[in-house]
Amino acid sequence: MKRTKKITALILLIAMTAIIALTGSACGDTGTYTVGICQLTTHVALDAATEGFKQALIDELGEENVTFDYQNAAGDSNTCTTIANNFVSKNVDLIMANATAALQASASATTTIPILGTSITEYGVALNIENFTGTVGGNISGTSDLAPLTEQAQMIIDLFPEAKTVGLLYCSAEPNSAYQVKVVREYLEGKGLTCLDFSFSDSNDVAVVTEKASTDSDVIYIPTDNTAADCTEIINNICLPKQVPIFAGEAGICSGCGVYTLSISYYEIGYKTGLMAAQILTGEADISQMPIEYDPNPVKKYNAENCSALGLTAPSDYVVIE
């Protein structure tokens, strides 16, 4: 009888061990995960999004339970493709795609590994989805860096009431930049302003195009644009001496060459993306049903140094960019 009880206890112990091995320990171990991060380029906004993403996963899963494979494409979309395919060959548990080119490359590389985008302005535009309703479906979701564009456009009118011509400076190779410019142009032209497009195809054209924009514009608008973010010093060195103010689509660009912005927090959308990743990795959420999320609290900010150089006084409800 005692031998039978011992055998039964042993069988139960083996069964419990197997269950724990499959589902995690009784203490709530979530398992270990490898997360691939493909970031298009290095600049303040994208860096902040990656930092927020990593911190959220560490907070949720524990630093010892997540390994990050961080790869930076140095601004080259072809390199994004190489990185994404490498992640697929490694069979990572999840891919975080930071910026549109990274998302597009990841989406082309796999339909099974979960992909979360961040710093994506408009997923319908980025992924060529007609009549996009807010949920991508399949293996893709994420967060958007879209700020209220019509509010930005109205702020240009309010802040620069004497301006008649607004130059729209952006990279034509970035579809989400073109989308933002389209919305802002339609709003401003509807209010009677003249809008002129000044688009560059890559960083090699930035100086020449900016020279033209600074000559022909009363004020310049730059959307959330990765190429512009990489070239703020060039843009600033051209526009500031000519006393041409720049309204920027986000704080990183504004800190480099702008005066005012209505900006979301890239750290916060990155952190939100990390929270989504934790839910997916632990099986708490189905990525195919997760809608794109946004930062609900954009903030009015100003570049104190550039405002001073241009003789501008920021309204009292604007926050200085540190």
Side-chain angles (χ1 to χ4, degrees):
M1 188 70 171
K2 288 183 180 179
R3 178 177 177 81
T4 301
K5 288 182 179 180
K6 287 182 178 179
I7 292 173
T8 301
L10 180 61
I11 292 171
L12 288 172
L13 178 61
I14 293 171
M16 289 177 67
T17 301
I19 291 171
I20 289 172
L22 289 171
T23 62
S25 73
C27 295
D29 188 354
T30 58
T32 56
Y33 308 97
T34 300
V35 175
I37 298 175
C38 179
Q39 182 172 318
L40 174 61
T41 189
T42 299
H43 62 68
V44 174
L46 300 189
D47 291 348
T50 292
E51 182 184 349
F53 174 78
K54 293 170 70 174
Q55 190 59 54
L57 274 176
I58 290 170
D59 290 346
E60 292 297 301
L61 304 179
E63 189 170 8
E64 69 280 5
N65 293 321
V66 58
T67 299
F68 297 106
D69 186 349
Y70 172 82
Q71 301 292 327
N72 193 300
D76 184 4
S77 58
N78 291 327
T79 303
C80 286
T81 299
T82 301
I83 292 169
N85 288 333
N86 186 41
F87 286 159
V88 173
S89 68
K90 291 180 178 179
N91 195 31
V92 298
D93 296 300
L94 183 142
I95 296 172
M96 191 277 262
N98 193 348
T100 299
L103 176 67
Q104 292 169 332
S106 300
S108 297
T110 179
T111 58
T112 55
I113 296 173
I115 300 167
L116 287 175
T118 193
S119 313
I120 315 296
T121 303
E122 217 287 329
Y123 281 75
V125 172
L127 298 173
N128 197 27
I129 303 172
E130 292 187 11
N131 303 314
F132 181 61
T133 58
T135 301
V136 176
N139 66 321
I140 299 174
S141 188
T143 58
S144 170
D145 63 358
L146 183 63
L149 296 175
T150 56
E151 287 185 36
Q152 288 186 346
Q154 183 58 48
M155 288 164 66
I156 294 172
I157 296 171
D158 295 339
L159 292 165
F160 307 104
E162 303 301 319
K164 304 297 182 185
T165 302
V166 178
L168 306 171
L169 184 64
Y170 66 102
C171 180
S172 58
E174 297 186 35
N176 279 311
S177 296
Y179 168 79
Q180 294 170 80
V181 163
K182 178 177 180 292
V183 174
V184 170
R185 181 196 303 112
E186 289 176 353
Y187 186 91
L188 292 176
E189 289 180 343
K191 297 293 185 178
L193 277 75
T194 298
C195 292
L196 301 177
D197 271 28
F198 298 97
S199 62
F200 41 83
S201 58
D202 56 38
S203 59
N204 295 320
D205 300 332
V206 170
V208 173
V209 175
T210 302
E211 284 281 1
K212 180 65 172 171
S214 63
T215 300
D216 295 350
S217 309
D218 298 320
V219 60
I220 290 173
Y221 172 77
I222 303 177
T224 55
D225 183 288
N226 291 299
T227 307
D230 278 340
C231 299
T232 56
E233 184 176 359
I234 294 171
I235 296 169
N236 195 57
N237 288 342
I238 294 170
C239 292
L240 195 62
K242 292 186 177 182
Q243 297 285 289
V244 180
I246 294 173
F247 189 100
E250 56 92 8
I253 294 174
C254 190
S255 68
C257 64
V259 287
Y260 300 120
T261 184
L262 175 63
S263 181
I264 59 95
S265 166
Y266 279 81
Y267 182 89
E268 289 302 326
I269 63 168
Y271 196 92
K272 188 182 290 285
T273 310
L275 295 179
M276 296 170 73
Q279 290 182 310
I280 293 163
L281 290 170
T282 57
E284 296 176 36
D286 178 354
I287 191 171
S288 69
Q289 298 178 14
M290 299 177 81
I292 302 305
E293 297 197 28
Y294 300 81
D295 183 345
N297 301 305
V299 178
K300 297 175 181 178
K301 297 184 176 183
Y302 71 99
N303 179 329
E305 184 176 350
N306 278 10
C307 281
S308 177
L310 294 174
L312 300 172
T313 301
S316 59
D317 58 340
Y318 280 62
V319 178
V320 67
I321 298 173
E322 300 295 342

